[in-house]
Amino acid sequence: MQKIEKIKKRDGRIVPFDKGRIVKAVLKAMKAVGEGDEKAAEDVADEVVSLLEKSGKVIPTVEEIQDLVEETLMRKGFYKVAKAYILY
């Protein structure tokens, strides 16, 4: 498994990976629809990181990470949160 240390932004910049940004974005979407909590947001972020590491991709893109977040939210039954996340 490859540890994710960097990501590629939309503008092409390579920046340090920060799992906390995923947690923050998911939590914001959860609060917007009144579902989930910080623990659930952490669980989603942990699963996304695990999927990224298993993928073998050294520097994933922001879009790839967002897709995994959406898929993970839906797999965990957070459909409204996934929609709010997509819109965010």
Side-chain angles (χ1 to χ4, degrees), residues 7-15 21 60-63:
I7 64 165
K8 186 174 186 177
K9 302 286 273 185
R10 286 186 180 86
D11 64 8
R13 287 180 300 135
I14 306 295
V15 299
R21 291 181 63 114
T61 65
V62 167
E63 290 84 2

Side-chain angles (χ1 to χ4, degrees), residues 1 3 13 19 23-24 26-27 34-35 38 40 51 58 60 65 68-69 72-73 76 79 82 84 87:
M1 272 197 315
K3 186 172 183 331
R13 287 180 300 135
K19 183 185 92 166
V23 174
K24 189 174 166 184
V26 170
L27 192 56
E35 285 184 18
E38 193 155 345
L51 291 168
V58 179
I65 293 169
L68 285 175
V69 170
T72 302
L73 284 166
K76 291 182 171 288
Y79 301 105
L87 295 175

Side-chain angles (χ1 to χ4, degrees), residues 17 22 33 45 53-54 64 85:
F17 174 72
I22 296 173
V33 298
E53 290 173 346
K54 288 177 187 170
E64 290 168 330
Y85 178 82

